[in-house]
Amino acid sequence: MYTLLMDGREEQVEGPVVRHGRPIFGWERKPHGWCRGDACIPGFRAAEAETPDGVDLAGFAGLLGRVAVVDPDERLIAVGDAQRLGPDEAPDFTLDGFSLREARGSKIALVFWASWCGCRYDLAAWDELHDELSPGGLTVVSVSLDRDPGDARPWIEGLGHPSLIDAEGSVAELYNVVNVPTVVWIDEEGRIARPQDTMTATDTFREMNGLSSEDAKNALRRWVLDGESGLTPEAVREHLRIPTEEERRARLHARLAAWLFRRGRTAPARGHARKAAELAPHDVAVRRSLMPLSGVDPFGDEYFRLRDELEAGGVPLYRPLPDWSRGAQAAEAGA
């Protein structure tokens, strides 16, 4: 038997190839194809994943627009979500009792952070913004990328806004978050009003990131109170970072690494962590989030080696959108 990691849960499956006649991911074989409820995959398309011995799980996942990674030695399979990131409808998710779809009607500031990032010190300030702007229709939703929920909990105790922990990286996968802090704005109708943006709520690390928290907060206030997001729909499409195939696979390798680290299977876990880094070397969120599970200090030498590697490769750690940050950076440059 293999362990299947999919949709935030794990279950046992007979292997990478499932015998004919068995359901797969909730889909069942009918005379005309594979069906789940009213949705069906025609038989001629499903044939791509069918073999004489059964149905190839990774191939079937591909028919659904998903990516799969199989580890035959550890008898593990990880299946990612379908790529649904687009400006017209923010990908829905339910995590820790919060449902994005059920929050429709409110503007959402989706704030990604982690305990291994200095942005943890911004949480109280984001909570104050939630209190300040909720009468105007804003809900701040913070999402921790900590692989160990226990690392995040001390930082979210007592906060008034929805504070979620994305230990499996599923929400980060949906929104293609490659570092923290990252903020995504979602309007009342569920559309992305501002794609992945590096925004801070305090100036604690301004010397490092060069960003003005006051400029960021004022941009947020203009959106909530005046309806001015600062970006046209065309600009949203231009700046929205859609995940590549390599990035999607990297997140699955990271998911397998985390699962193995938690069970003390260090050698194969490190192998998957290395593969994730090879596939998406720029993804700080993936690489740094695994450090605590592997016994590495995420604030230590390993992190600074990662910073040096990315800087040498011309890969930016922080990726603020220009409409609100350009003025502050120009002012600083002229000072």
Side-chain angles (χ1 to χ4, degrees), residues 141-187:
V141 179
S142 62
V143 182
S144 164
L145 302 194
D146 284 281
R147 298 286 180 175
D148 182 348
D151 292 337
R153 289 194 182 106
W155 298 95
I156 62 178
E157 288 180 358
L159 297 181
H161 68 268
S163 305
L164 319 178
I165 303 175
D166 186 23
E168 300 307 318
S170 57
V171 182
E173 176 186 349
L174 287 174
Y175 285 87
N176 195 25
V177 175
V178 299
N179 199 4
V180 288
T182 291
V183 181
V184 177
W185 295 357
I186 301 169
D187 71 15

Side-chain angles (χ1 to χ4, degrees), residues 6 27-28 42 45 83 94 97 119 129 151 178 187 193 195 202 248 277 279 293 320:
M6 179 176 172
W27 294 73
E28 295 185 357
R45 284 197 57 215
Q83 200 300 103
T94 299
C119 53
L129 281 167
D151 292 337
V178 299
D187 71 15
T202 73
R248 297 171 71 192
L279 287 168
L293 292 182

Side-chain angles (χ1 to χ4, degrees), residues 19-49:
R19 284 175 289 174
H20 293 296
R22 304 289 182 90
I24 300 177
F25 310 151
W27 294 73
E28 295 185 357
R29 189 66 164 97
K30 305 290 185 181
H32 56 285
W34 285 83
C35 298
R36 183 176 182 177
D38 294 332
C40 289
I41 301 172
F44 71 89
R45 284 197 57 215
E48 300 173 18

